[in-house]
Amino acid sequence: MRFSATKGGIRYLSFNKDLQSVIHTYPSRFRPSIHDIVIFTFTMRQIFIAIAGCFICFSLHSQNSQCSGNLGENIFVTGDFGRGTANILPVDPGIAPGFQYSTFVPFHDGRYTITNDMALWPDIWPAWLLIGDNSTDPQGYMMVVNASFTPGIFYEQTIDGLCDNTLYEFSADVINIVRANVGGHIFPNVSFLIDGVEEFTTGPIPQSELWKTFGFTFTTATDQEEVTLTLRNNAPGGTGNDLALDNISFRPCGPSATIAIDMMGRVCENALYPTLSAIVASDTGYVQWQISDDLGNSWSDIAGATARTYQSVQLSAQLYLFRYLYGNSPQHLQNEKCRIVSASNSIEVVPVHFTIIDTLCEGLNFDLGGVLYNSSGIYFEHLTAANGCDSLVTLELTIVSDPGIEAELMILPPSCAGLSDGQISITAINGGVVPYVFSIDGQAPLSSDLAIPVTAGLYEVVVSDRYGCTDIHNFEIVDPLPFVIQVSGENSIILGHSTTLNVSGNYLISSIEWKPVGSLDCSTRPSTEAMPLFNTHYIATAISEEGCPASDSLFILVDTDPRVYIPNVFSPNGDNVNDTWGVYADPLNVKAIAHLVVFDRWGGIMHDAFDIPSLDAQDIWDGRNENGLAGTGVYVYLLELRMANDEIVKKSGSVTVVR
């Protein structure tokens, strides 16, 4: 829709929808009286409405975009929710008329809290992010909202003292606090309202795990000095629709405003100072130049500096920042709620006169512009500086006698070979003038009361007093002998049997740990019994009484072949000699005869037996079957052995029966 006005108080509306839809869309802005004369002009594509005798006044004109020029100071000073040491603000701030404040977290729908770090909460919904407020201040607060089941207002404030016909920006930082990999959650959707009228909406805010700034600009109407700022939740509550809010900003918006300097931003203390020019993307408006000598922490108006150009005056040597305020009128310029702030620029004033006062130990030199001085006196040098400012330097030098400093060092070697827990420290210093510093191998000077961790090696320690008088120590730190252990034991065993593993070392052993532990009778003794069921690599890690670690290992090969003897003939004739037949097995190697079946030459089963312990397997078959004694002849058997590792090994063969 497009609006325009004439001096005669007639406003025309051009639109591509019928009048009823316009009135429905803008009910608070379109209220003609019964005395208005309404003229309708119909065409195929447009309807023109002229209303005479009244001037339809619109409170605001908004643009769904953020400020493209410069901004003023944030009028809404509480928009960052403040800061505090408490993780949860203990007092209800009363800023969300449609929600209930909660100091207990996490909370359910229709509630909110003010917090500085969700990662410090005692508990949290699994789907929520562990985030802090959107600033570099660890104690800065943000607002966390679990939206209500119905759309409602979760933030509202009134701002007064504004200027009419002035462009402002209303913005806020918003984040969907549901993790990116969580599905099935409703996206938050936030509307920005001015005086109860929706001017901008974020649309669905995705689970990006990133803060995003949303906002728009609008212009106050004639004689309007107050607005109510509202943030409204549009999405329904339930699963999702959870957000955090921070850095609500309400600022005047103006044209792009920068500064041009007619020479480099660094000048000599006694030189002609530069002229600063205000570059404003507008031909109208008023400026007030400001200066800061504390890196922008505070600013002061420069008296009389209200022109578009400012000739900087002579200043003492240091860094200065310059900026200007810009307003549409002198009144706007004086009202911080109506003016914008330009980008800043700097001028560094470089000193040209230097006085150096120094005291040195005898034997040392002071280098002043390439000239070495080593005796007491006052010296002058005119130096050409790299910054382009020629300087006059006065040196007041005092040379003192060397008092013969003596430093006592405590040197501790590393506790174990290869470690860096050796120490160099100074226990006492005699002579010289405090403060003392010492350096190791030419590194930056260190405080004399520190113990410096070191490894084995050659070192040079230089101890210096206030005037540079020194005491030099050269020495070597040697590693102790490495702690070494050795594992001994058999390299191969028969399955089911065990072997003893032993550890010995060149230092006393304080503790030991064996791995793997499953086949050992004890994993924390230097001597242990191992019964591996398969090839195993045993590793022993020991700690000496000095705290040094060492390890060694042993590989044991396990022979898994069955240790059995099976006779191939027996004579079941009742003479008590060789009357039975069975399996003779190593009981440690073979647990049991899982299954034995004996067949005659026609495949008939002569004997069938299950789960016979190894120790009882020598007399399995007495030469009989259900029909009586087996006749003389050759019989075939199938055998399943249950090994010590519970694996089944199959064997087959034949046995001859004689009578």
Side-chain angles (χ1 to χ4, degrees):
M1 186 179 294
R2 182 171 67 253
F3 305 95
S4 62
T6 69
K7 293 183 179 179
I10 300 176
R11 180 173 293 264
Y12 297 93
L13 298 88
S14 170
F15 49 90
N16 295 324
K17 59 180 73 176
D18 59 36
L19 178 63
Q20 181 180 0
S21 66
V22 175
I23 296 175
H24 176 74
T25 305
Y26 300 93
S28 64
R29 300 183 179 182
F30 189 73
R31 290 291 185 269
S33 71
I34 60 174
H35 302 290
D36 299 333
I37 300 174
V38 181
I39 302 173
F40 295 88
T41 303
F42 295 88
T43 69
M44 292 297 291
R45 297 176 59 85
Q46 295 180 314
I47 302 174
F48 294 90
I49 302 174
I51 302 176
C54 87
F55 185 83
I56 302 175
C57 181
F58 290 84
S59 62
L60 297 170
H61 175 65
S62 66
Q63 305 174 38
N64 292 340
S65 62
Q66 292 174 247
C67 183
S68 59
N70 277 56
L71 292 165
E73 299 291 346
N74 189 8
I75 300 169
F76 197 30
V77 294
T78 60
D80 62 356
F81 303 102
R83 65 190 304 273
T85 56
N87 179 242
I88 304 292
L89 185 68
V91 180
D92 181 0
I95 57 177
F99 286 76
Q100 182 177 349
Y101 189 73
S102 177
T103 57
F104 297 96
V105 292
F107 40 84
H108 294 281
D109 293 54
R111 299 174 182 266
Y112 77 100
T113 195
I114 305 297
T115 183
N116 51 35
D117 194 344
M118 295 168 67
L120 300 179
W121 289 7
D123 193 13
I124 195 168
W125 305 128
W128 282 11
L129 298 171
L130 302 177
I131 60 170
D133 89 311
N134 192 26
S135 76
T136 57
D137 184 358
Q139 295 183 353
Y141 282 133
M142 63 180 172
M143 181 181 186
V144 178
V145 182
N146 191 335
S148 58
F149 284 93
T150 58
I153 295 172
F154 60 79
Y155 194 85
E156 188 168 77
Q157 291 289 301
T158 298
I159 305 293
D160 57 13
L162 305 179
C163 293
D164 61 356
N165 297 318
T166 301
L167 186 66
Y168 290 91
E169 180 192 80
F170 181 20
S171 67
D173 295 345
V174 187
I175 184 173
N176 185 330
I177 60 173
V178 177
R179 299 177 184 272
N181 60 352
V182 176
H185 281 59
I186 301 168
F187 290 171
N189 189 327
V190 179
S191 285
F192 290 66
L193 290 78
I194 304 295
D195 292 335
V197 178
E198 180 182 290
E199 299 291 345
F200 172 78
T201 182
T202 64
I205 301 173
Q207 298 165 202
S208 64
E209 301 190 8
L210 296 174
W211 287 92
K212 184 176 180 180
T213 301
F214 296 95
F216 66 100
T217 58
F218 64 92
T219 303
T220 52
T222 302
D223 298 329
Q224 184 177 14
E225 297 181 355
E226 179 180 288
V227 296
T228 297
L229 310 178
T230 304
L231 295 176
R232 185 183 67 201
N233 161 50
N234 292 325
T239 303
N241 194 15
D242 308 317
L243 58 93
L245 183 71
D246 203 1
N247 301 324
I248 302 175
S249 174
F250 184 74
R251 302 170 183 260
C253 171
S256 174
T258 58
I259 298 175
I261 302 179
D262 64 353
M263 61 178 68
M264 292 294 293
R266 171 182 283 185
V267 297
C268 303
E269 192 174 19
N270 57 356
L272 178 65
Y273 282 25
T275 299
L276 294 89
S277 299
I279 308 299
V280 186
S282 175
D283 295 329
T284 61
Y286 298 83
V287 301
Q288 170 63 61
W289 289 91
Q290 292 187 318
I291 187 172
S292 172
D293 59 4
D294 58 3
L295 300 179
N297 292 317
S298 62
W299 293 87
S300 302
D301 289 348
I302 302 175
T306 58
R308 290 296 179 98
T309 60
Y310 169 67
Q311 172 64 57
S312 54
V313 299
Q314 190 170 13
L315 299 166
S316 59
Q318 71 172 81
L319 180 68
Y320 298 90
L321 298 180
F322 291 88
R323 73 180 188 184
Y324 58 88
L325 308 176
Y326 179 85
N328 292 331
S329 68
Q331 293 76 23
H332 285 195
L333 190 63
Q334 298 303 314
N335 188 339
E336 64 181 8
K337 297 181 180 181
C338 308
R339 67 196 183 194
I340 66 169
V341 181
S342 75
S344 63
N345 216 325
S346 64
I347 295 178
E348 181 182 3
V349 180
V350 181
V352 295
H353 294 282
F354 296 92
T355 297
I356 301 174
I357 301 174
D358 202 357
T359 302
L360 298 179
C361 188
E362 62 179 334
L364 299 179
N365 298 308
F366 191 99
D367 186 345
L368 183 61
V371 179
L372 302 180
Y373 297 94
N374 54 21
S375 59
S376 300
I378 300 176
Y379 306 95
F380 303 92
E381 286 290 341
H382 188 270
L383 303 179
T384 300
N387 58 25
C389 298
D390 294 347
S391 305
L392 179 63
V393 180
T394 301
L395 171 62
E396 298 179 9
L397 182 62
T398 301
I399 301 297
V400 298
S401 299
D402 188 342
I405 298 175
E406 294 183 358
E408 299 178 11
L409 305 183
M410 181 177 69
I411 301 169
L412 298 177
S415 60
C416 304
L419 296 186
S420 58
D421 61 350
Q423 287 188 356
I424 300 174
S425 59
I426 296 177
T427 58
I429 302 177
N430 301 312
V433 179
V434 296
Y436 300 101
V437 294
F438 76 99
S439 62
I440 298 178
D441 293 343
Q443 297 178 5
L446 306 166
S447 173
S448 60
D449 59 353
L450 293 178
I452 307 303
V454 293
T455 59
L458 297 173
Y459 292 92
E460 180 181 76
V461 174
V462 178
V463 181
S464 303
D465 74 348
R466 177 178 182 178
Y467 302 130
C469 300
T470 60
D471 183 23
I472 300 176
H473 295 256
N474 291 283
F475 53 89
E476 181 180 7
I477 295 178
V478 180
D479 267 337
L481 289 175
F483 174 42
V484 179
I485 64 171
Q486 184 175 13
V487 175
S488 60
E490 297 183 40
N491 295 105
S492 64
I493 63 170
I494 297 172
L495 175 65
H497 292 240
S498 64
T499 183
T500 301
L501 303 180
N502 293 290
V503 171
S504 59
N506 60 339
Y507 290 104
L508 292 177
I509 295 175
S510 173
S511 64
I512 191 168
E513 181 180 10
W514 292 90
K515 289 184 178 180
V517 301
S519 56
L520 300 174
D521 70 336
C522 181
S523 62
T524 57
R525 290 199 306 257
S527 181
T528 184
E529 287 295 313
M531 191 178 70
L533 300 178
F534 45 82
N535 298 341
T536 302
H537 190 191
Y538 289 98
I539 301 174
T541 301
I543 304 297
S544 70
E545 290 190 340
E546 292 76 20
C548 304
S551 63
D552 194 21
S553 63
L554 180 68
F555 185 81
I556 297 180
L557 183 66
V558 177
D559 184 353
T560 58
D561 287 341
R563 295 313 197 256
V564 295
Y565 166 69
I566 304 174
N568 60 2
V569 63
F570 76 110
S571 57
N573 54 13
D575 62 358
N576 295 324
V577 177
N578 200 20
D579 281 342
T580 60
W581 173 84
V583 178
Y584 297 82
D586 178 349
L588 298 177
N589 181 248
V590 178
K591 287 184 177 180
I593 309 304
H595 187 199
L596 171 67
V597 59
V598 181
F599 302 93
D600 62 16
R601 60 188 299 180
W602 295 280
I605 296 177
M606 301 297 294
H607 188 74
D608 197 4
F610 296 89
D611 294 323
I612 305 170
S614 295
L615 293 175
D616 300 331
Q618 294 91 343
D619 301 315
I620 296 178
W621 186 36
D622 60 0
R624 296 175 181 273
N625 65 7
E626 61 183 8
N627 297 319
L629 293 175
T632 300
V634 177
Y635 297 84
V636 176
Y637 64 84
L638 297 179
L639 180 65
E640 292 183 355
L641 305 173
R642 187 180 304 279
M643 305 300 293
N645 59 3
D646 285 326
E647 290 185 1
I648 299 296
V649 176
K650 296 181 179 181
K651 284 184 169 297
S652 62
S654 63
V655 58
T656 300
V657 174
V658 296
R659 293 193 183 276

